[in-house]
Structure formats: structure tokens, C-alpha cells
Amino acid sequence: MPGHIGIDRELEKLGKMSPEGYHAGLHIRFVAPLITVSTYRQEWVDHYTARGYALRDPMIAWGFSTEGSARWSALGIPDPFGILDEAAGFGLRYGCVVSRGPLSSRTIVGCSRSDREYDDDEIAAIGDVVTRLHAITEPPEKLTHAQKEALRLIAAGNRHAAAAAKLDISESALKARLTAARARLMARTTAEAIQRAQENRLI
């Protein structure tokens, strides 16, 4: 799918600039991101998740309060739980955060390395990647009536043949509608497309 090829290409660039991994929350709406990608060490992810740090993370707090880019060491946000110090213990000693988009659909990406601070050019390059990721993952504002009908029927538990019969179309025509809906929603599966359509109140 062309959309995914572009996303994967940008994520690959992000990975090369993040020796200790990155975490990307793309289009955060109603608290949850539309797409989440993380390459941080699993031990850190487990440690972070078990302690509910997402609600206390100074990087995330900065990302919601500011649209721009900054080194973790220059956030100026209180870290009473010592999350950044704990991250350093897992190899995430230096990092930067990039925040893009309106508060109603904010993208926040954190990148990390263990050897040194990111320089200005590197942060600018990461910012460019995040800007492109935010743009190419912009959720659609609408689906066609045919796409909505197809997704609704599958969401209701109908198999392809039954859904096609209810719409009085061929099964191949139904599959074409579902494929088009997945492409518009940048979803890899129909189940993912249904979830995104529901989250964005499109069905």
C-alpha cells in the first residue's frame, strides 16, 4: 500500500537516527494515538508501562504544551518521579522530543541515544521526518457511503458473502470497497480499518 511504504520509509530514517530507539505517538486524539510505534528496549517499555509513566512523563507533558523540538535535558518540565534518570539506566541517556500538529491531533516522538546529546542538525532532521510522518498519517475526514456500509456490515459480524448479499453486490465488489477503505484509513487489515473508522467517528 503506497501510504504504508511512505510511513515505513520515514520510520526507517527515524530508526537510523535513534540508536537507542524511539517512541512515536501519531495523531493523539482522545488520549490515545491513532498509530503507535516504539523501538525502545522491551525492558524499558515494560518498566515504563508497569509504573504508568505515560501520565507523568515530562517528555509527553512538554509535547502537549509546546509544538517544536527540544533535547530531553532542556525540557524545563518537572520530573518528580525521576523518569528521565530511570530511562538513562536503561541506556536512554540522551534524547530529543518533537511535537507536531494541533492539540486535537498531536504527534509526539521521542528519540534516544546513549553516547552524546543530539546536535542541532540532527534534531532538525528528526523534526523533518516527524513533520512528514504527521502529514502522511493524517486521518481522513470522511469515507464514501459505500465504504461505510461495507465496514459496518463486517463490524457487525457478517462474513464477506453475507455482507455482499445484503448490499446486493458481488463478493469481489465488497472486497474492493473494503480495500479502498483500508487504503483511506491507512490500515493493514479490515479489523484495523473498522477500529480507526470508529475512533474517528466515521462509522
Side-chain angles (χ1 to χ4, degrees):
M1 186 183 306
H4 279 300
I5 292 170
I7 295 168
D8 291 344
R9 186 181 298 123
E10 296 302 333
L11 290 175
E12 184 180 351
K13 292 176 186 174
L14 204 58
K16 289 178 180 176
M17 294 185 279
S18 308
E20 287 298 324
Y22 65 82
H23 182 91
L26 305 171
H27 293 281
I28 303 169
R29 296 179 168 194
F30 310 109
V31 183
L34 179 64
I35 300 171
T36 303
V37 184
S38 181
T39 63
Y40 286 153
R41 295 183 194 181
Q42 192 59 48
E43 311 92 83
W44 169 244
V45 172
D46 293 343
H47 181 84
Y48 184 99
T49 303
R51 287 157 181 76
Y53 279 168
L55 299 174
R56 305 161 176 167
D57 191 333
M59 184 190 77
I60 294 175
W62 185 92
F64 276 117
S65 66
T66 308
E67 187 178 7
S69 307
R71 294 176 184 84
W72 290 353
S73 60
L75 294 179
I77 300 282
D79 185 13
F81 293 90
I83 296 172
L84 293 177
D85 287 340
E86 287 191 28
F90 286 82
L92 288 74
R93 294 185 180 87
Y94 305 98
C96 68
V97 58
V98 176
S99 174
R100 294 288 187 268
L103 272 176
S104 59
S105 190
R106 181 63 53 94
T107 288
I108 301 174
V109 176
C111 298
S112 182
R113 58 187 311 139
S114 62
D115 53 346
R116 59 172 175 79
E117 290 276 19
Y118 281 98
D119 64 34
D120 291 347
D121 289 342
E122 290 168 329
I123 293 173
I126 290 170
D128 290 343
V129 171
V130 175
T131 298
R132 288 191 296 272
L133 278 169
H134 182 79
I136 63 179
T137 57
E138 183 74 40
E141 294 301 319
K142 61 183 179 179
L143 296 170
T144 67
H145 179 69
Q147 291 164 355
K148 289 179 182 180
E149 282 185 324
L151 288 175
R152 283 192 188 111
L153 285 169
I154 299 302
N158 292 281
R159 294 187 181 277
H160 287 173
K166 288 181 179 180
L167 293 171
D168 196 26
I169 59 174
S170 68
E171 194 169 338
S172 61
L174 175 84
K175 289 179 180 178
R177 292 182 185 188
L178 293 172
T179 298
R182 288 197 302 271
R184 185 166 284 201
L185 293 163
M186 288 176 291
R188 296 180 190 273
T189 65
T190 298
E192 187 178 343
I194 289 168
Q195 180 182 355
R196 290 187 181 172
Q198 290 171 337
E199 287 172 351
N200 289 281
R201 299 175 182 174
L202 298 176
I203 61 172

